[in-house]
Amino acid sequence: MYADVLVVGTGIAGLSYAVRLAKKSPDAKIIMISKRDLLESNTKYAQGGIAVVSNFFNDSYEEHVRDTMVASAYTSKEHVVDFVVREGPACVKELIEWGAQFDTKGAALHLGKEGGHSTKRIVHHKDQSGLHIQNALITKARSLDNITFFENHSLVDLITDHHIPHLNKGRCYGAYVISKKDEEIVKITAQLTVLSTGGAGQVYAHTTNPTAATGDGLGAAYRAKVHVENLHFVQFHPTALFPKIDGNTFLISEAIRGAGAILRNHTGEAFMEQYDNRRDLAPRDIVSRAIHTEMKKHSLEHVYLDATQIEKEKLEQEFPTILSNCLKLGIDIAKAYIPVLPAAHYICGGIDVNEHSQSNLTGLYAIGECSHTGLHGANRLASNSLLEALVFAARAAEHSSVTLSNPLLSSDFFEEIPDWKGTENVSNQKTDRIRKLRAALQQIMSLYVGIIKSGESLQKAETELHEIYMATKELYQLNKLTPQLTTLRNLVSVAYLMIKQAQKYPVNKGVYFNEDYV
Ligand code: SIN
């Protein structure tokens, strides 16, 4: 298959990129790959919304920039923060023109508040912002003739000079992907390749991310020698519901703390006062560490979130999904405390990109959570992720459109690219073994590379991960490639980078906390 542009991943970043490019360059053939169905992405699970300046009476670009810098412990790149904050409102306006609807208050947008924000600034659709945005973008993208979708296809590897050394152009030529249904490996060549593969929360046992969030873009980029930075900045969301529902961790949006909910320990004490004068609305790294400390101090499995002081009508109006999911566990949040604990939520680092979202490999862009733009630094400010995805997708689309209007690689050239060379060996897939290795990797990461790390814990993680790496390598060499195996390979790559980068980081900043440094 050939595309002018191959987009891997169909969350807010990939879809908004494709929609903008399809409109701007109507002759460009765009192929989009999604690992599951089109709807399933990290975006779908984003509850809070988009942090964006919209009320200029109570807010300003300067304040949003300052809040972002403070949350990141001044490690974000200020010029990036500045242009993202300023370009955000136009991107949200465009999203609304494409069909997204946000809650309103009179003629204005209704704004929520989350940790680290000095004012109400979160544009949202009840507590289902991501799901709603995702549906609107899918409808819009489907209406455009030059976008073709392939659902249930996972990324195997990027196509680079490694696959065709004699060409030696030092660029990306597309990707090999594997279909879930018949496990066939398809070669998709492309002038431009865009990774929008989202997060990698699945390297942990306890995560707010869906099962497909396995860092496939990060793994493939790393193997292609693309620069991947700051993976040691893993953000833990303070409040995931305890226990899991049907094996999945459900997020309790920070917006509910913005509406007045308070964290309490087992004795009912509102403990955040002891940790930060912003209390429950301190930046996420501080709140997660405080909960972790409380749990450790009192040997607790979880703490509580008390939303009982919020009017029932407001809960029903603004947090219907949280209300109904808690009810599944028999908890009426208008009357009872919600058991919560931190869970791996967001990777602040990723594939290093410039201000057009270009990576260091020519022809390869990265957008959304899998990228590292410099916006988040050592700790992402709540609801800045969808904002970043929109702004960088728009910038990447503009840049791609210009690139596509210049002379391109010829079609003869793409014909030289070989099909995937898999092993000739048995197709004994060893699914059970793959599942066990994945679970073991998640346990290692949760035990040793969690909210609080140490030199010793990171060393243990490295040693134990090595065993999993060797076992995965053997499976890879001896068996036919399957989606499960390719996913495990990516998880191993991401976990390895997280550990190695954590070992090198010399100070405690943002979400990175090493007890040896105290
Ligand atoms: C939330 O709703 O608490 C999550 C928002 C985010 O991760 O930015």
Side-chain angles (χ1 to χ4, degrees), residues 33 68 87 104 117 121 129 134 146 148 193 201 212 243 255 273 293 306 309 327 412 422 445 453 472 489 491:
I33 299 296
T68 303
E87 292 171 23
T104 51
H117 288 275
R121 154 181 314 138
S129 306
Q134 183 76 6
N146 49 338
T148 309
T193 304
E273 288 180 8
T293 307
D306 170 11
Q309 62 279 36
L327 269 180
D412 294 354
M445 294 301 286
K453 308 170 214 347
T472 306
R489 195 162 70 118
L491 287 169

Side-chain angles (χ1 to χ4, degrees), residues 46-49 114 235 237 251-255 284 345 380-385:
Q47 294 179 14
E114 292 179 3
Q235 183 175 74
H237 195 287
L251 177 73
I252 305 290
S253 175
E254 205 159 295
R284 220 167 254 184
H345 183 60
R380 174 178 67 89
L381 180 66
S383 287
N384 262 1
S385 44

Side-chain angles (χ1 to χ4, degrees), residues 161-288:
D161 288 343
H162 171 76
H163 302 96
I164 27 170
H166 67 282
L167 293 177
N168 204 18
K169 287 194 179 297
R171 58 172 297 146
C172 182
Y173 312 103
Y176 297 106
V177 302
I178 185 166
S179 77
K180 191 174 170 195
K181 190 158 162 255
D182 51 19
E183 301 185 344
E184 188 197 348
I185 299 184
V186 185
K187 173 184 76 180
I188 306 180
T189 55
Q191 303 284 351
L192 303 177
T193 304
V194 181
L195 293 176
S196 49
T197 49
Q202 286 291 327
V203 293
Y204 287 90
H206 207 70
T207 174
T208 59
N209 294 187
T211 50
T214 51
D216 296 350
L218 299 174
Y222 169 63
R223 288 191 296 277
K225 301 191 170 27
V226 176
H227 297 159
V228 179
E229 302 291 340
N230 281 3
L231 291 200
H232 52 292
F233 292 138
V234 178
Q235 183 175 74
F236 286 76
H237 195 287
T239 56
L241 182 61
F242 177 90
K244 295 182 178 184
I245 302 178
D246 301 331
N248 296 315
T249 302
F250 177 70
L251 177 73
I252 305 290
S253 175
E254 205 159 295
I256 201 161
R257 270 180 283 135
I262 292 169
L263 285 158
R264 297 188 185 279
N265 65 17
H266 59 306
T267 64
E269 182 193 4
F271 59 85
M272 274 314 298
E273 288 180 8
Q274 297 168 35
Y275 294 90
D276 194 282
N277 57 13
R278 290 161 289 186
R279 297 193 296 261
D280 299 87
L281 286 177
R284 220 167 254 184
D285 55 329
I286 294 169
V287 182
S288 289

